[in-house]
Amino acid sequence: MDYNIIILSISTLRKQVDKCVGRWGDKKITYYSQLEPVSRVLIEEKGNIDEVLAICTTKAIEKTEFSEEDGESNLVMSAYDYYVKRINGAFPNNGIKFTQCPSNAFDEKNEIEKENAIVEVARYILNKKK
């Protein structure tokens, strides 16, 4: 049985998240975060995404205050939580498991620590195939 995972590297948020418009074929997509359109297209096209694995630095999981251009203001949440909110808002009751893979190793300048963290992510994914 296939297990379909989207793997993303979550970045931080600015004080104002800009509203963007993109196209997928003839379809117009309005979005706020840079990873949102890719996820939405994959979910719409494939329809059977089991999990989103988000690789996060410590800054990506820290709560911060920000506003959406032409949207909500004074939001307080992490970049990871905002991404999950946007995807769940576009696809309610989607059944997708959202997993954050936080690691301060991704913040470090030590390349060995970063490589070890990437190996752990790879092991996590390989274990899903069993």
Side-chain angles (χ1 to χ4, degrees), residues 7-62:
I7 304 167
L8 305 171
S9 178
I10 301 289
S11 59
T12 57
L13 294 168
R14 291 186 237 157
K15 289 292 180 190
Q16 179 176 309
V17 180
D18 297 329
K19 181 178 179 179
C20 301
V21 177
R23 291 205 173 278
W24 183 257
D26 293 334
K27 188 172 185 174
K28 185 174 145 182
I29 299 173
T30 302
Y31 61 95
Y32 286 95
S33 68
Q34 61 184 332
L35 298 173
E36 184 183 336
V38 173
S39 301
R40 287 176 55 181
V41 167
L42 286 171
I43 293 166
E44 285 178 19
E45 297 265 322
K46 294 288 183 185
N48 61 344
I49 303 301
D50 298 297
E51 183 173 0
V52 173
L53 178 61
I55 299 170
C56 302
T57 62
T58 52
K59 290 239 183 249
I61 57 175
E62 284 178 5

Side-chain angles (χ1 to χ4, degrees), residues 49-105:
I49 303 301
D50 298 297
E51 183 173 0
V52 173
L53 178 61
I55 299 170
C56 302
T57 62
T58 52
K59 290 239 183 249
I61 57 175
E62 284 178 5
K63 291 184 188 235
T64 187
E65 186 175 339
F66 64 97
S67 298
E68 296 174 331
E69 177 186 1
D70 296 337
E72 296 183 60
S73 58
N74 301 320
L75 294 164
V76 178
M77 65 183 74
S78 70
Y80 170 79
D81 291 334
Y82 182 63
Y83 168 80
V84 172
K85 174 184 181 264
R86 293 289 303 162
I87 296 303
N88 283 335
F91 303 97
N93 304 314
N94 58 44
I96 298 171
K97 176 182 176 184
F98 291 90
T99 304
Q100 61 174 294
C101 186
S103 176
N104 62 356

Side-chain angles (χ1 to χ4, degrees), residues 4 8 16 31 37 48 80 95 106 120 123 128-129:
N4 298 304
L8 305 171
Q16 179 176 309
Y31 61 95
N48 61 344
Y80 170 79
F106 295 114
E120 288 304 313
R123 284 187 181 136
K128 292 294 181 177
K129 293 187 80 170

